[in-house]
Amino acid sequence: MSVNWNIQLFAGLSERFGQSAISLPLEKSTLTVLELKQELISRYPAHASLLAVSFMACNQAYAVDEQTIQAEDELALLPPVSGGEEPSTGIASAALEQAKYVVTADPLSVDAITALVIVPNNGATLTFTGTTREWTHGTRTVRLEYEAYVPMAVKSLKQIGTEIMERWPGALCAIAHRIGVVDIAEISVVIAVSAPHRDDCYEASRYAIERLKQIVPIWKKEIWEDGSEWKGHQLGPWNPTTTQL
């Protein structure tokens, strides 16, 4: 008796397959990530090159090739990616923490996101704002369209915040990213960082930006006057299982 393996697809993968998920009937209910990817490549050889460089997510966490996974796990195949003190306990603290890491289709407020990290003990605050630019290497962009594996993206943003607090004691971080259509000059991402001292603040802000590109499953589709293309991480080989920069 065969077992159905259900795998979510995103960005360029869902476009290639023409659907947001695939169901793969297999005899085994337990496989390694590599074995499942090999099964996919054997069934869909036309997409072998993209499948080979994509990463598997298992229960909203990146899974390495040798990891064992089950058919009942929440599985997703991710193409290369592109982007006062807190209350100590209780519901208010949880709500504030959730507000600091957001993936949303709504417009972003730089002031509101920055305010989340301004606290009495931190004397430096930096905010990075990413917007859609019109021209890139002589090609005119009409708009960008962002897609995300939302629950995993939010977890990854929180992970970045945790890494920053561990590396720069006292530092705070808030990150919000748009999904959907983002027109020319509109804001796609806001990263706010505060720290006791400005040197740490500069370093932590850059770390957050680069780490977002490295591990957060968000993709952008560049729409031009004469075509379109999904864009992911553009700084070299993509390996989101790398622990830190």
Side-chain angles (χ1 to χ4, degrees):
M1 180 180 296
S2 64
V3 178
N4 281 331
W5 289 72
N6 297 307
I7 306 160
Q8 298 179 70
L9 305 175
F10 293 90
L13 274 170
S14 61
E15 195 169 83
R16 289 275 194 96
F17 281 81
Q19 55 198 51
S20 61
I22 56 176
S23 181
L24 195 66
L26 297 172
E27 293 182 0
K28 295 182 178 180
S29 61
T30 301
L31 293 169
T32 66
V33 169
L34 182 58
E35 288 171 338
L36 181 56
K37 288 179 69 176
Q38 289 172 337
E39 289 284 354
L40 286 166
I41 289 171
S42 68
R43 303 287 182 94
Y44 303 99
H47 307 308
S49 59
L50 184 54
L51 289 168
V53 297
S54 296
F55 271 80
M56 187 69 68
C58 177
N59 299 324
Q60 301 176 14
Y62 291 108
V64 295
D65 282 349
E66 61 270 20
Q67 182 173 328
T68 299
I69 53 178
Q70 310 289 331
E72 62 266 25
D73 288 331
E74 180 183 327
L75 301 173
L77 201 57
L78 312 179
V81 297
S82 95
E85 293 186 332
E86 298 179 20
S88 58
T89 59
I91 295 174
S93 179
L96 179 58
E97 191 64 23
Q98 182 66 27
K100 287 167 63 179
Y101 305 102
V102 175
V103 177
T104 178
D106 297 329
L108 303 179
S109 167
V110 174
D111 289 342
I113 296 162
T114 303
L116 294 171
V117 301
I118 296 178
V119 295
N121 288 340
N122 288 356
T125 301
L126 287 173
T127 304
F128 169 83
T129 304
T131 59
T132 301
R133 64 173 176 261
E134 185 172 11
W135 293 92
T136 303
H137 304 305
T139 300
R140 181 175 180 269
T141 298
V142 177
R143 67 181 184 276
L144 298 180
E145 295 180 5
Y146 285 90
E147 182 178 338
Y149 182 13
V150 175
M152 186 174 175
V154 172
K155 282 187 175 182
S156 299
L157 295 179
K158 290 180 179 179
Q159 177 184 331
I160 293 170
T162 299
E163 291 175 3
I164 285 174
M165 287 188 290
E166 291 174 348
R167 183 173 288 204
W168 293 278
L172 296 175
C173 179
I175 307 173
H177 206 297
R178 282 280 300 276
I179 53 175
V181 175
V182 183
D183 290 321
I184 301 300
E186 287 190 343
I187 298 171
S188 58
V189 61
V190 177
I191 301 174
V193 175
S194 71
H197 306 288
R198 65 178 181 272
D199 288 348
D200 286 352
C201 197
Y202 281 119
E203 292 177 10
S205 177
R206 183 174 182 84
Y207 180 91
I209 295 164
E210 301 305 330
R211 194 67 166 137
L212 185 149
K213 293 179 181 180
Q214 185 182 43
I215 68 170
V216 181
I218 296 175
W219 305 267
K220 69 177 179 182
K221 188 176 187 179
E222 291 190 1
I223 312 296
W224 310 309
E225 293 176 305
D226 59 352
S228 64
E229 182 180 1
W230 284 102
K231 297 284 189 177
H233 182 58
Q234 300 176 53
L235 298 179
W238 179 54
N239 184 4
T241 62
T242 302
T243 55
Q244 293 191 29
L245 295 173

mmCIF file of all heavy atoms in Angstrom, residues 2-3 11 35 41 50 63-64 83 88 115 121 136 151 155 208 210 223:
data_model
loop_
_atom_site.group_PDB
_atom_site.id
_atom_site.type_symbol
_atom_site.label_atom_id
_atom_site.label_comp_id
_atom_site.label_asym_id
_atom_site.label_seq_id
_atom_site.Cartn_x
_atom_site.Cartn_y
_atom_site.Cartn_z
ATOM 1 N N SER A 2 0.567 2.191 -0.866
ATOM 2 C CA SER A 2 1.371 3.401 -0.958
ATOM 3 C C SER A 2 0.929 4.449 0.067
ATOM 4 O O SER A 2 -0.193 4.419 0.566
ATOM 5 C CB SER A 2 1.281 3.989 -2.367
ATOM 6 O OG SER A 2 -0.037 4.394 -2.652
ATOM 7 N N VAL A 3 1.858 5.344 0.358
ATOM 8 C CA VAL A 3 1.617 6.444 1.300
ATOM 9 C C VAL A 3 1.806 7.758 0.554
ATOM 10 O O VAL A 3 2.761 7.912 -0.211
ATOM 11 C CB VAL A 3 2.596 6.372 2.495
ATOM 12 C CG1 VAL A 3 2.381 7.542 3.436
ATOM 13 C CG2 VAL A 3 2.452 5.048 3.220
ATOM 14 N N ALA A 11 7.094 30.070 -4.748
ATOM 15 C CA ALA A 11 7.790 30.929 -5.709
ATOM 16 C C ALA A 11 8.023 30.218 -7.045
ATOM 17 O O ALA A 11 7.079 29.729 -7.660
ATOM 18 C CB ALA A 11 9.098 31.435 -5.104
ATOM 19 N N GLU A 35 16.639 11.160 0.013
ATOM 20 C CA GLU A 35 15.867 10.130 -0.690
ATOM 21 C C GLU A 35 14.578 10.698 -1.278
ATOM 22 O O GLU A 35 14.198 10.364 -2.406
ATOM 23 C CB GLU A 35 15.547 8.974 0.267
ATOM 24 C CG GLU A 35 16.756 8.112 0.611
ATOM 25 C CD GLU A 35 16.478 7.112 1.720
ATOM 26 O OE1 GLU A 35 15.521 7.338 2.506
ATOM 27 O OE2 GLU A 35 17.224 6.117 1.815
ATOM 28 N N ILE A 41 13.066 14.099 -8.141
ATOM 29 C CA ILE A 41 13.843 14.302 -9.371
ATOM 30 C C ILE A 41 13.547 13.199 -10.385
ATOM 31 O O ILE A 41 13.428 13.455 -11.590
ATOM 32 C CB ILE A 41 15.343 14.383 -9.040
ATOM 33 C CG1 ILE A 41 15.644 15.708 -8.317
ATOM 34 C CG2 ILE A 41 16.195 14.265 -10.305
ATOM 35 C CD1 ILE A 41 17.045 15.794 -7.746
ATOM 36 N N LEU A 50 16.395 22.647 -10.607
ATOM 37 C CA LEU A 50 15.835 23.486 -9.542
ATOM 38 C C LEU A 50 15.574 22.672 -8.282
ATOM 39 O O LEU A 50 15.821 23.132 -7.160
ATOM 40 C CB LEU A 50 14.548 24.150 -10.017
ATOM 41 C CG LEU A 50 13.885 25.136 -9.045
ATOM 42 C CD1 LEU A 50 14.856 26.212 -8.600
ATOM 43 C CD2 LEU A 50 12.657 25.771 -9.689
ATOM 44 N N ALA A 63 15.727 21.276 6.899
ATOM 45 C CA ALA A 63 16.157 19.898 7.131
ATOM 46 C C ALA A 63 17.333 19.574 6.220
ATOM 47 O O ALA A 63 17.286 19.832 5.013
ATOM 48 C CB ALA A 63 15.004 18.930 6.860
ATOM 49 N N VAL A 64 18.395 18.999 6.778
ATOM 50 C CA VAL A 64 19.574 18.627 5.999
ATOM 51 C C VAL A 64 19.311 17.299 5.293
ATOM 52 O O VAL A 64 18.387 16.556 5.641
ATOM 53 C CB VAL A 64 20.826 18.521 6.889
ATOM 54 C CG1 VAL A 64 21.174 19.882 7.456
ATOM 55 C CG2 VAL A 64 20.602 17.525 8.021
ATOM 56 N N GLY A 83 14.374 39.228 2.717
ATOM 57 C CA GLY A 83 14.645 39.934 2.466
ATOM 58 C C GLY A 83 14.409 40.489 3.451
ATOM 59 O O GLY A 83 14.024 40.399 2.613
ATOM 60 N N SER A 88 8.092 41.776 31.295
ATOM 61 C CA SER A 88 8.838 40.552 31.576
ATOM 62 C C SER A 88 8.020 39.291 31.412
ATOM 63 O O SER A 88 8.552 38.242 31.084
ATOM 64 C CB SER A 88 9.393 40.611 33.008
ATOM 65 O OG SER A 88 8.325 40.775 33.931
ATOM 66 N N ALA A 115 9.759 52.141 16.742
ATOM 67 C CA ALA A 115 9.357 52.389 18.137
ATOM 68 C C ALA A 115 9.435 51.118 18.980
ATOM 69 O O ALA A 115 9.605 51.201 20.204
ATOM 70 C CB ALA A 115 7.927 52.946 18.171
ATOM 71 N N ASN A 121 17.530 51.955 27.977
ATOM 72 C CA ASN A 121 18.921 51.520 28.148
ATOM 73 C C ASN A 121 19.741 51.548 26.865
ATOM 74 O O ASN A 121 20.953 51.329 26.915
ATOM 75 C CB ASN A 121 18.952 50.108 28.735
ATOM 76 C CG ASN A 121 18.542 50.092 30.194
ATOM 77 O OD1 ASN A 121 18.581 51.111 30.862
ATOM 78 N ND2 ASN A 121 18.148 48.923 30.682
ATOM 79 N N THR A 136 17.333 48.592 -12.620
ATOM 80 C CA THR A 136 18.400 47.697 -12.179
ATOM 81 C C THR A 136 19.180 47.229 -13.396
ATOM 82 O O THR A 136 18.618 46.546 -14.271
ATOM 83 C CB THR A 136 17.841 46.475 -11.435
ATOM 84 O OG1 THR A 136 17.045 46.912 -10.326
ATOM 85 C CG2 THR A 136 18.981 45.589 -10.924
ATOM 86 N N PRO A 151 4.526 31.047 8.123
ATOM 87 C CA PRO A 151 4.847 30.633 9.502
ATOM 88 C C PRO A 151 6.329 30.373 9.715
ATOM 89 O O PRO A 151 6.890 30.716 10.755
ATOM 90 C CB PRO A 151 4.008 29.367 9.705
ATOM 91 C CG PRO A 151 3.665 28.907 8.334
ATOM 92 C CD PRO A 151 3.587 30.129 7.487
ATOM 93 N N LYS A 155 9.172 32.530 12.079
ATOM 94 C CA LYS A 155 10.100 31.830 12.979
ATOM 95 C C LYS A 155 11.548 32.220 12.679
ATOM 96 O O LYS A 155 12.356 32.412 13.588
ATOM 97 C CB LYS A 155 9.939 30.314 12.846
ATOM 98 C CG LYS A 155 8.734 29.735 13.553
ATOM 99 C CD LYS A 155 8.771 28.225 13.505
ATOM 100 C CE LYS A 155 7.651 27.604 14.316
ATOM 101 N NZ LYS A 155 7.715 26.117 14.309
ATOM 102 N N ALA A 208 21.561 41.647 10.655
ATOM 103 C CA ALA A 208 20.152 41.319 10.454
ATOM 104 C C ALA A 208 19.790 41.303 8.978
ATOM 105 O O ALA A 208 19.080 40.397 8.508
ATOM 106 C CB ALA A 208 19.272 42.321 11.203
ATOM 107 N N GLU A 210 21.813 40.821 6.319
ATOM 108 C CA GLU A 210 22.434 39.710 5.595
ATOM 109 C C GLU A 210 21.849 38.364 6.025
ATOM 110 O O GLU A 210 21.681 37.450 5.214
ATOM 111 C CB GLU A 210 23.951 39.721 5.808
ATOM 112 C CG GLU A 210 24.636 40.996 5.342
ATOM 113 C CD GLU A 210 24.356 41.327 3.887
ATOM 114 O OE1 GLU A 210 24.144 40.399 3.081
ATOM 115 O OE2 GLU A 210 24.331 42.529 3.547
ATOM 116 N N ILE A 223 8.918 42.043 -11.918
ATOM 117 C CA ILE A 223 8.063 42.196 -13.094
ATOM 118 C C ILE A 223 8.620 43.349 -13.912
ATOM 119 O O ILE A 223 8.674 44.490 -13.444
ATOM 120 C CB ILE A 223 6.596 42.495 -12.707
ATOM 121 C CG1 ILE A 223 6.111 41.510 -11.632
ATOM 122 C CG2 ILE A 223 5.710 42.463 -13.942
ATOM 123 C CD1 ILE A 223 6.049 40.080 -12.068
#
